[in-house]
Amino acid sequence: MLLTNRRVKLMGTSIDISIYHDNPQPILDEAGELLHLYDHRFSANDEGSELMAINRAAGICAVQVHPELYELISLGQRHSCAPDSYLNIAIGPLVQTWRIGFADARRPSQTEIDAALALINPEDIILDKAKETVYLAKKGMKIDLGALAKGYIADRIVDFLRQCSVPAGLINLGGNVLTFGPAFHNPDQLWHIGIQNPKQPRGHHVAVLGVRDQSIVTSGIYERTLTAAGKTYHHIFDSQTGYPLDSQIASLTIVSPKSVDGEIWTSRLFGQNPSDILTGIAREQDLDALIITTDNNLIASPEISKIKLS
């Protein structure tokens, strides 16, 4: 079997699906259709998406949603409300006020930031498990699942590929990589995943991790930025101040069996200092971290070196 790749431009990035299979094209076609379905379900930037139906009904009425959308919102709210969490799925109004990563990005006024801060409490997301409904308690609230949707989607795509008897493969959703089965093309049968150097152009790696049946998710302050009045702002926001996080961390990589867990924990921990991040990771099962600080230090949890670090 040869490794066959399909690239799809979606979700603001290039998505690569690579699989080993004797008849890969029909499987890759269907995987592409699934990606479009999930984009329509979870997008915070598509006015016609299922998620946006919830946001449009903020302060008006509860909306019954697809079970997968309910599951992801419920998961996101639980981790958003956890103590010391920097994840916040209610952060949509703040993201849309700054618009970092979009052509119309700008530094908003303090009045605009304060108005957004009044609308981003994740406890104001009211869920009804029996009816699978979501209600946003205040008009103007907006859920944004950008901090965890890609991981959830990657997990669902790999579930589908396994159901199609694909023995091995990789899905890369722009900084979110999930592998399953052996990399037959490599002597060690591990998938070799590069970790981007935050201060170099894309493709310059500070480390390479060799993994199998694991996800590698990286969040960093270098991907999307805005420069205004001589100051550069990144896209990872502090829900307390309304500004990009003031952090010692340039990038945080989480290695985990499930991709959605990598997404959750990069977001939950990003605002903490390296020592606290490692402490938090050590409390969780099957999670490892690779931290690159803004002053170029590379710090890894103990198990990373047992995977492969070069």
Side-chain angles (χ1 to χ4, degrees):
M1 291 181 292
L2 295 176
L3 186 65
T4 303
N5 183 72
R6 175 72 59 86
R7 174 165 288 184
V8 180
K9 296 278 190 179
L10 202 63
M11 305 178 199
T13 189
S14 294
I15 300 171
D16 288 300
I17 305 176
S18 303
I19 62 172
Y20 285 101
H21 200 274
D22 290 327
N23 185 25
Q25 298 306 333
I27 296 171
L28 292 170
D29 288 343
E30 193 165 349
E33 292 174 7
L34 280 174
L35 287 171
H36 281 88
L37 183 151
Y38 285 127
D39 182 50
H40 177 70
R41 183 159 293 153
F42 301 134
S43 176
N45 300 302
D46 176 1
E47 284 299 324
S49 75
E50 294 176 41
L51 175 62
M52 288 303 289
I54 300 170
N55 292 344
R56 286 196 302 272
I60 301 171
C61 64
V63 177
Q64 188 172 37
V65 299
H66 189 278
E68 289 179 328
L69 181 54
Y70 183 89
E71 178 186 28
L72 189 55
I73 291 172
S74 179
L75 179 68
Q77 185 193 40
R78 176 162 60 86
H79 284 278
S80 296
C81 294
D84 301 318
S85 175
Y86 285 87
L87 171 64
N88 183 359
I89 64 166
I91 205 166
L94 190 60
V95 172
Q96 293 301 322
T97 297
W98 282 83
R99 300 282 293 170
I100 295 177
F102 297 92
D104 56 347
R106 63 185 180 87
R107 186 198 180 287
S109 68
Q110 189 60 50
T111 299
E112 292 173 300
I113 291 171
D114 291 342
L117 287 174
L119 297 171
I120 64 170
N121 185 351
E123 293 184 356
D124 288 333
I125 302 172
I126 312 302
L127 303 178
D128 186 322
K129 186 175 182 180
K131 297 179 181 178
E132 292 186 325
T133 61
V134 182
Y135 175 59
L136 305 185
K138 295 180 180 178
K139 196 170 183 62
M141 286 183 66
K142 292 181 175 69
I143 293 175
D144 188 323
L145 297 173
L148 64 163
K150 286 182 181 177
Y152 183 89
I153 293 167
D155 291 331
R156 299 290 76 76
I157 295 295
V158 168
D159 287 345
F160 162 73
L161 295 174
R162 283 179 165 145
Q163 290 167 10
C164 295
S165 299
V166 175
L170 174 150
I171 180 166
N172 181 357
L173 289 95
N176 179 320
V177 177
L178 179 58
T179 69
F180 67 102
F184 295 113
H185 56 286
N186 288 328
D188 60 4
Q189 298 204 340
L190 297 178
W191 301 88
H192 299 159
I193 312 301
I195 306 301
Q196 175 68 33
N197 185 327
K199 296 190 175 181
Q200 295 291 330
R202 181 169 289 280
H204 288 73
H205 300 142
V206 297
V208 175
L209 301 183
V211 297
R212 172 176 170 174
D213 296 315
Q214 287 178 300
S215 168
I216 295 178
V217 174
T218 299
S219 292
I221 62 174
Y222 54 90
E223 287 288 353
R224 285 180 279 157
T225 60
L226 163 69
T227 300
K231 182 168 182 173
T232 298
Y233 301 90
H234 61 77
H235 74 291
I236 303 176
F237 290 102
D238 186 334
S239 295
Q240 301 302 312
T241 67
Y243 288 84
L245 279 167
D246 183 11
S247 174
Q248 303 172 38
I249 308 302
S251 80
L252 172 60
T253 297
I254 299 292
V255 181
S256 57
K258 291 174 61 179
S259 191
V260 70
D261 289 337
E263 292 269 26
I264 286 168
W265 286 98
T266 56
S267 297
R268 275 191 62 162
L269 297 172
F270 201 94
Q272 298 185 14
N273 63 54
S275 176
D276 289 341
I277 289 174
L278 293 181
T279 299
I281 286 295
R283 287 196 293 259
E284 300 300 317
Q285 189 173 9
D286 298 326
L287 295 185
D288 288 288
L290 180 66
I291 303 162
I292 303 173
T293 65
T294 52
D295 56 359
N296 297 321
N297 286 323
L298 191 151
I299 306 164
S301 58
E303 290 298 316
I304 288 285
S305 59
K306 297 178 184 178
I307 299 171
K308 182 183 177 184
L309 182 58
S310 63

